[in-house]
Amino acid sequence: MFETIDQVVTLLRQQRYICDRKLATVIFLALKMNKPVLIEGPAGVGKTELAKTVARALNRRLIRLQCYEGLDEARALYEWEYGKQLLYTQILREKIGSLFAEMEDLRAAVEYLRQHEDVFFSEHFMVRRPILQAIASPEPVVLLIDEIDRAEEQFEAFLLEVLSDFQVTVPEIGTIVARHPPLVCITGNNTRELSDALKRRCLHLAIGYPDEERELEIIRLKVPELRESLARQVVSLIRRIRAMDLRKAPSISETLDWAQALVLLNAEQLSRELVEETLQLILKYDRDVQQVSAQLPVLLDGAPGAARPTFDNMDLREQQERYRINERAYFSSRREE
């Protein structure tokens, strides 16, 4: 358990995650208050990594639920293992038959079966999914509910009981209450608006792209082999590219991949040829690659950043809105295709 906010900053840094006091304060309070943390921001800025890092810093097991369209309670909570139940009934067929042989009529047989149905609807035949694993865990864990905005709104409603009371109800068994409330981290990429009911139950944390010095610090920590002058060039160019209207701006994780690739290529400085050969590491769509390639001479000179707003001088809301617009444009074009 974290004892102070400064300790949060220190322990996360020891796990190679750089954070400020604002972020550390939210994590500290979430643990003290047993409140879930809703982490929103563009993809690739470290939201999922934050949950993983906190789990390592606390020496807790991380249980992850990846959200997607069509996710339902069965995949998130529990399922009955019907194949196993069927196998047991077949093996015990003679025993079951002998028990029912003495029943006077069908009504008596049904009543007798009802009295013993808990034999086949017990935890022995239950497959625990991530949320139930976290609630029933005998030791404290971190539960990561990743990309909640990819699931439907009905799934958010299902989560409310879990997030409020840290308990789940299984009709055949009863209510299971968490012995140790998990630290719940919910991430969202701002692809749709989340419900007010969900937000009320969480401490909110917004993570945007870091400023230039912090991004440079992240590269120094994660890719220490990259020479200082090249690291500055990388950060500078990445930030100019982010200022362009792309389907997907380069994230922190993609910046780190690029930095690692430059180390492997023994690069000493950025040239047009080198950037063109490695652009696919930071850009994921052909249209973006073509757009950036066409402006590379100017981008390497550093001109367009002055003419357009960069993520540095956007506030977080503007960053999120830029990301949301680009996401919508992308999925709209895919539907048209």
Side-chain angles (χ1 to χ4, degrees), residues 261-287:
L262 294 175
V263 171
L264 294 173
L265 294 172
N266 295 316
E268 296 185 354
Q269 63 178 2
L270 292 182
S271 64
R272 179 174 179 178
E273 292 73 21
L274 178 61
V275 175
E276 284 181 333
E277 290 168 358
T278 54
L279 263 184
Q280 64 272 20
L281 287 164
I282 55 174
L283 300 174
K284 305 305 179 185
Y285 301 104
D286 288 342
R287 183 190 298 178

Side-chain angles (χ1 to χ4, degrees), residues 3-239:
E3 297 300 328
T4 64
I5 295 171
D6 289 337
Q7 188 187 27
V8 178
V9 176
T10 301
L11 291 179
L12 293 190
R13 189 179 185 86
Q14 287 176 0
Q15 298 296 327
R16 296 161 61 83
Y17 191 98
I18 296 174
C19 72
D20 54 21
R21 279 187 61 85
K22 176 184 172 186
L23 185 153
T25 301
V26 173
I27 297 297
F28 176 78
L29 292 176
L31 274 167
K32 293 295 183 185
M33 299 168 68
N34 284 334
K35 297 273 283 187
V37 185
L38 175 59
I39 312 167
E40 290 192 285
V45 294
K47 303 184 297 297
T48 301
E49 187 61 26
L50 174 59
K52 294 179 179 177
T53 305
V54 169
R56 290 197 300 271
L58 291 169
N59 196 27
R60 290 187 180 187
R61 182 162 67 102
L62 177 76
I63 298 175
R64 178 173 182 170
L65 173 63
Q66 177 63 53
C67 297
Y68 54 87
E69 188 175 351
L71 177 65
D72 57 16
E73 294 181 27
R75 291 293 176 184
L77 193 57
Y78 72 93
E79 285 183 289
W80 293 113
E81 205 169 358
Y82 293 117
K84 189 175 179 181
Q85 290 171 321
L86 181 60
L87 176 64
Y88 272 58
T89 56
Q90 289 177 339
I91 293 175
L92 299 172
R93 183 170 47 195
E94 291 186 7
K95 178 66 175 175
I96 295 173
S98 65
L99 291 174
F100 283 89
E102 299 178 358
M103 296 297 106
E104 296 177 354
D105 53 26
L106 184 59
R107 186 181 300 278
V110 170
E111 178 61 24
Y112 188 78
L113 180 62
R114 191 188 64 77
Q115 293 174 6
H116 294 80
E117 64 184 9
D118 58 334
V119 174
F120 290 101
F121 287 97
S122 63
E123 294 201 24
H124 183 67
F125 295 98
M126 178 186 287
V127 179
R128 293 182 177 184
R129 297 303 183 190
I131 290 179
L132 186 55
Q133 289 177 24
I135 294 295
S137 174
E139 56 193 21
V141 299
V142 174
L143 173 62
L144 167 61
I145 302 176
D146 211 8
E147 298 184 314
I148 181 68
D149 43 1
R150 293 195 183 280
E152 285 84 358
E153 294 179 5
Q154 294 87 335
F155 185 73
E156 281 184 45
F158 153 73
L159 282 179
L160 298 182
E161 179 190 6
V162 178
L163 299 179
S164 296
D165 305 322
F166 293 108
Q167 67 178 34
V168 295
T169 301
V170 180
E172 296 86 352
I173 294 178
T175 299
I176 301 173
V177 182
R179 189 185 307 171
H180 305 284
L183 173 61
V184 182
C185 296
I186 306 170
T187 72
N189 292 332
N190 296 308
T191 54
R192 68 170 173 83
E193 193 70 28
L194 299 177
S195 69
D196 290 340
L198 179 67
K199 291 182 176 180
R200 275 200 309 273
R201 287 162 172 80
C202 301
L203 301 184
H204 188 257
L205 177 63
I207 299 180
Y209 293 111
D211 60 28
E212 188 165 352
E213 282 306 312
R214 175 152 296 176
E215 189 158 14
L216 193 57
E217 191 179 2
I218 293 171
I219 290 182
R220 289 188 190 119
L221 182 67
K222 299 281 189 178
V223 193
E225 305 88 354
L226 191 70
R227 60 181 61 198
E228 177 69 17
S229 59
L230 185 52
R232 289 189 176 277
Q233 281 187 298
V234 167
V235 172
S236 180
L237 181 58
I238 283 284
R239 302 183 69 76

